[in-house]
Amino acid sequence: MLLTIDCGNTNTVFSTWDGSQFTGTWRLSTDHTRTADEYFVWLTSLMQLGGVTEPVTDVIISSTAPRVVFNLRVLCNRYFDCRPLVVGRPDCALPVAPRVDQGTTVGPDRLVNTVAGYERHGGDLIIVDFGTATTFDVVDHDGAYIGGVIAPGVNLSLEALHMAAAALPHVDVSRPAVTIGKNTVACMQSGVYWGYIGLVEGIVREIRRERERPQKVIATGGLAPLFDQGFDLFDTVEGDLTMWGLVLIHQHNQELDNT
């Protein structure tokens, strides 16, 4: 059984793949001090509760937090007796190499989303990922990652408002009932929500203008459904895009090893 691990700046997601479907998905906060033993106890307990009994034989990792990878490697070596594939490392091949400036390091999550988006929707894509940062990944006609945009994430923007302005409270993002807020919380929620609607519309418009060709827009990330309420921003929302991309990259490397 394959274990896919997507380690983001805020949360780390573990999913098990039995060769035909995901059999379980679990998440916890990203913490570079968490040991391999802690990962194992936490993960195996949840696997047992979820009825996932097949042993893990392969692991693939995508991580935007490099300090976390060491203990995840120890987890794989000590408890699963395998050497994990790590996206972005030289020994982890991609179906199509990214076309960016020489010497540029592309975030592993963006590469994984590119692979999954192309497999599901073909080329000429804009993938909008609502994570700690809000990223826009541009996928060429042949599935190559060719660049994109990085903007502050929604929750990061709210936290910055709260930290920088003593009078402003911490609020959760939600779609406001009206645009004009009549209290501080409503004003902040309106500013962030409609501000990000405008941000997505504006960046997508400019990418399409530069590319001079139709571009499908695919959204992913935890907050993607929130910004898909009654708007024509996205062609589709994909909840499992990153994990599916990890499965595809693992399959690609297995095929290379068998040739």
Side-chain angles (χ1 to χ4, degrees):
M1 181 173 63
L2 174 65
L3 176 65
T4 61
I5 305 175
D6 174 32
C7 180
N9 292 301
T10 304
N11 293 311
T12 299
V13 182
F14 296 73
S15 289
T16 48
W17 173 262
D18 68 0
S20 61
Q21 63 181 348
F22 288 108
T23 55
T25 297
W26 309 273
R27 67 177 61 231
L28 79 169
S29 59
T30 299
D31 181 359
H32 73 274
T33 66
R34 186 172 285 112
T35 67
D37 302 329
E38 290 174 309
Y39 279 121
F40 181 73
V41 171
W42 172 84
L43 180 60
T44 53
S45 297
L46 289 176
M47 288 173 65
Q48 289 173 1
L49 287 172
V52 180
T53 57
E54 188 177 348
V56 172
T57 57
D58 296 275
V59 181
I60 183 167
I61 301 169
S62 168
S63 178
T64 58
R67 297 175 68 187
V68 177
V69 174
F70 175 79
N71 283 328
L72 290 175
R73 282 182 176 274
V74 174
L75 168 71
C76 298
N77 294 331
R78 179 179 299 167
Y79 291 107
F80 302 137
D81 193 26
C82 70
R83 185 172 182 268
L85 273 174
V86 180
V87 179
R89 300 290 174 87
D91 62 342
C92 183
L94 299 173
V96 182
R99 292 194 286 270
V100 293
D101 291 343
Q102 187 173 3
T104 298
T105 299
V106 181
D109 54 331
R110 308 181 79 179
L111 297 174
V112 172
N113 286 345
T114 294
V115 171
Y118 179 71
E119 193 273 342
R120 284 185 169 174
H121 303 284
D124 293 322
L125 302 178
I126 303 168
I127 300 174
V128 186
D129 190 347
F130 292 91
T132 304
T134 300
T135 60
F136 297 74
D137 302 323
V138 183
V139 184
D140 209 351
H141 65 93
D142 62 348
Y145 171 87
I146 57 171
V149 176
I150 301 175
V154 178
N155 287 319
L156 193 63
S157 296
L158 282 170
E159 188 65 25
L161 275 175
H162 171 62
M163 296 293 291
L168 297 181
H170 178 79
V171 299
D172 294 325
V173 62
S174 62
R175 181 177 178 174
V178 294
T179 304
I180 302 173
K182 296 186 180 298
N183 56 66
T184 302
V185 170
C187 288
M188 292 174 66
Q189 289 176 330
S190 184
V192 170
Y193 185 83
W194 294 111
Y196 271 85
I197 292 290
L199 176 123
V200 172
E201 288 177 331
I203 291 177
V204 167
R205 181 181 63 247
E206 290 304 303
I207 291 174
R208 284 173 166 162
R209 182 184 63 79
E210 288 185 15
R211 295 288 291 155
E212 297 182 334
R213 65 178 72 180
Q215 305 274 303
K216 291 181 182 177
V217 182
I218 313 301
T220 190
L223 290 177
L226 176 65
F227 293 95
D228 191 42
Q229 299 179 18
F231 298 99
D232 194 25
L233 291 179
F234 315 120
D235 290 281
T236 188
V237 174
E238 298 275 8
D240 65 344
L241 195 68
T242 304
M243 308 314 282
W244 177 235
L246 287 170
V247 170
L248 293 172
I249 293 172
H250 180 264
Q251 291 175 347
H252 176 70
N253 281 266
Q254 280 193 320
E255 291 169 1
L256 293 178
D257 290 341
N258 293 330
T259 57

